[in-house]
Structure formats: structure tokens, C-alpha cells
């Protein structure tokens, strides 16, 4: 779904930074070989993630939902020297694909892949994070958020993807549509939770920026 016209989307992308070569190759190979390539953040949102990361200049980044590693590499662009990025995915078939591209990047020694359910992995991470990107199963967004807030440094940023869910947040929710129901609850929680200040950006499928107070 396009919230603004395709022409305006293209105009915005064209007047933003170009997609780095390595990411263009990753993007292409994902589309050629991997199921559901639309899960990948892509050129424009990737440049937004990169810009936010450079503004935050984090020491420790956490990404929940690696997929083929596109957003991982965008977020890594803002890492401090000696900083770390932990990323996790439940799909083991993606592991080698991710590693190939991480190894081709300048952050190869800073990125740690975790294989498994994020709900099990997050409590084992003994770090305080400056930047977190939540981008996996929507049904657990509230659980992830509540696990992550105590692991954040003050002033840290939590990014949540797909919060407009192709516009379904404005439609009548079907009784079996748990993802939309949880996202509606999640968006309300981010607005009301006094531990964060939040702005929902209508970028791509909706990207919320929450700053930990
Ligand atoms: C939307 S994709 C991530 C896209 C990626 N962040 C990007 O922007 O290029 C979501 C990923 O979350 C993974 N995932 C779903 N449920 C998960 C869970 N409970 N724990 C870990 N990963 C999960 C899926 O396997 C999928 O690869």
C-alpha cells in the first residue's frame, strides 16, 4: 500500500542519499532468491534508518527481526567505533545469507547474529541499548517493548516498524486478525506510556520513533 502517490515516493527517494552498492546487491539477491522480499526495508526506509542511527551515534544497537540483513547494515552505519549490533531471527535458512553480506561490510566484527525466538534471546543480552529496531512478529510488539524499555539507556531510541499495517489500523478489525488488534493496542501504549515520548512517522508502512525519557 502507498500512503502517498508512487510518484511522490519516487521523488522523495530520488532526493535522498543513494542506496549504497552493497545494499543494492543485497536487495537484488533477496528479490531473486528469498521468499517475501517485501519484508526488506528497502532504499528509502533504509536511508531513514541510517540517518537516525547516525544522529543517535549508538554504542549498542539491537534489531529484532533480521530477515536478510538489509536494515541491520543501515543501522550499523551510525555505530560508534567499537560499538556492537545484536540482531536476531527465528528463520535459520536466512543465517548464511545474512552472514555473507555482514562479512562484506565494514561492520563484520561488530554484528552478532542470534538464531531463535527473540522472546528467548532478548533476556540473555547483558547490554544497555541506545537504539532498537522492532521489526518481527507483530503479535509480540507489546511484549518486546516491555522487555526492552528496562534495557535502554536514557535518551535511547526505540524504532517500531509497520505500525500502520497497510492502513488496517483504520479499518474494522476482523475477529481472527490478532496482528492488527495488537498493533492498535501497541500504538496506544506508545502514545500513553510515560517512559517514552513518541512520534509516529507515516514513512512506508509506518515507523514510530520513541525516545526513552
Ligand atoms: C519484516 S522481517 C525483518 C526485516 C528486516 N528488519 C529489514 O528491514 O530488512 C521480519 C523477520 O522477523 C523474523 N521473526 C518472526 N518472528 C520472530 C521471532 N519470534 N523471533 C525472531 N525472529 C522472528 C522473521 O523470520 C523475519 O525474517
Amino acid at each position: 500500500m502507498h500512503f502517498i502517490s508512487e510518484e511522490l515516493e519516487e521523488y522523495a527517494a530520488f532526493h535522498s542519499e543513494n542506496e549504497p552498492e552493497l545494499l543494492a546487491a543485497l536487495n537484488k539477491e533477496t528479490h531473486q532468491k528469498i521468499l517475501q522480499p517485501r519484508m526488506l526495508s528497502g532504499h528509502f526506509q533504509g536511508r531513514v534508518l541510517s540517518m537516525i542511527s547516525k544522529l543517535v551515534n549508538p554504542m549498542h544497537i539491537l534489531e529484532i527481526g533480521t530477515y536478510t540483513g538489509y536494515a541491520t547494515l543501515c543501522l550499523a552505519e551510525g555505530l560508534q567505533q567499537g560499538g556492537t549490533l545484536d540482531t536476531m531471527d527465528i528463520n535459520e535458512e536466512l543465517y548464511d545469507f545474512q552472514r555473507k553480506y555482514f562479512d562484506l561490510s565494514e561492520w563484520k566484527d561488530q554484528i552478532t547474529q542470534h538464531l531463535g525466538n527473540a522472546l528467548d534471546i532478548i533476556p540473555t543480552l547483558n547490554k544497555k541499548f541506545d537504539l532498537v529496531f522492532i521489526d518481527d512478529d507483530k503479535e509480540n510488539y507489546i511484549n518486546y517493548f516491555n522487555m526492552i524499555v528496562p534495557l535502554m539507556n536514557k535518551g535511547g531510541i526505540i524504532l517500531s516498524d509497520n505500525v500502520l499495517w497497510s492502513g488496517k489500523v483504520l479499518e474494522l478489525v476482523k475477529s481472527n486478525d490478532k496482528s492488527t488488534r495488537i498493533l492498535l493496542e501497541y500504538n496506544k501504549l506508545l502514545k500513553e506510556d510515560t517512559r517514552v515520548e513518541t512520534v509516529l512517522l507515516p514513512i512506508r508502512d509506518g515507523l514510530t520513533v520513541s525516545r526513552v525519557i
Side-chain angles (χ1 to χ4, degrees):
M1 173 163 183
H2 296 270
F3 296 118
I4 59 173
S5 70
E6 268 185 73
E7 288 82 359
L8 269 178
E9 270 187 9
E10 278 166 22
Y11 183 88
F14 183 76
H15 290 85
S16 302
E17 287 296 307
N18 292 334
E19 187 175 41
E21 259 176 47
L22 182 65
L23 288 174
L26 189 164
N27 196 341
K28 189 169 169 202
E29 195 175 345
T30 300
H31 278 81
Q32 285 167 341
K33 299 188 181 160
I34 310 287
L35 290 175
Q36 295 184 281
R38 59 186 285 268
M39 293 216 285
L40 172 148
S41 277
H43 170 201
F44 182 70
Q45 181 164 308
R47 289 307 86 206
V48 174
L49 295 175
S50 157
M51 180 64 83
I52 291 173
S53 185
K54 285 172 181 167
L55 291 169
V56 175
N57 193 214
M59 188 63 184
H60 297 302
I61 302 178
L62 169 65
E63 179 186 32
I64 307 173
T66 320
Y67 187 52
T68 51
Y70 190 96
T72 319
L73 291 171
C74 297
L75 294 165
E77 289 176 33
L79 267 179
Q80 284 182 35
Q81 231 184 356
T84 68
L85 192 160
D86 289 88
T87 185
M88 56 202 62
D89 206 289
I90 204 162
N91 183 351
E92 62 183 290
E93 287 174 16
L94 299 170
Y95 193 90
D96 293 343
F97 187 104
Q98 297 159 2
R99 194 69 249 168
K100 173 176 130 179
Y101 280 94
F102 296 161
D103 283 344
L104 288 168
S105 80
E106 61 188 275
W107 305 281
K108 66 177 162 72
D109 298 326
Q110 289 165 276
I111 298 173
T112 303
Q113 293 163 278
H114 301 266
L115 181 59
N117 192 326
L119 290 172
D120 301 326
I121 296 165
I122 295 167
T124 69
L125 301 173
N126 195 13
K127 277 180 192 162
K128 283 276 189 182
F129 295 99
D130 306 297
L131 181 62
V132 173
F133 184 39
I134 304 178
D135 190 20
D136 66 358
D137 57 325
K138 310 309 154 198
E139 297 184 6
N140 276 309
Y141 266 33
I142 293 174
N143 295 331
Y144 295 137
F145 179 77
N146 285 322
M147 284 174 121
I148 284 163
V149 172
L151 304 179
M152 297 295 295
N153 280 318
K154 208 163 173 254
I157 298 290
I158 301 171
L159 302 171
S160 311
D161 200 17
N162 307 109
V163 290
L164 295 178
W165 209 220
S166 304
K168 284 194 193 141
V169 289
L170 289 184
E171 294 167 7
L172 199 65
V173 183
K174 294 190 184 126
S175 57
N176 60 352
D177 185 355
K178 194 169 170 201
S179 296
T180 306
R181 208 158 18 84
I182 297 280
L183 278 173
L184 284 166
E185 233 182 281
Y186 184 65
N187 290 338
K188 188 166 178 287
L189 168 71
L190 293 187
K191 161 91 181 173
E192 292 174 356
D193 195 312
T194 53
R195 297 173 296 175
V196 292
E197 51 186 338
T198 282
V199 61
L200 193 165
L201 305 175
I203 288 172
R204 201 165 169 255
D205 196 22
L207 178 72
T208 300
V209 182
S210 304
R211 181 175 170 275
V212 178
I213 299 167

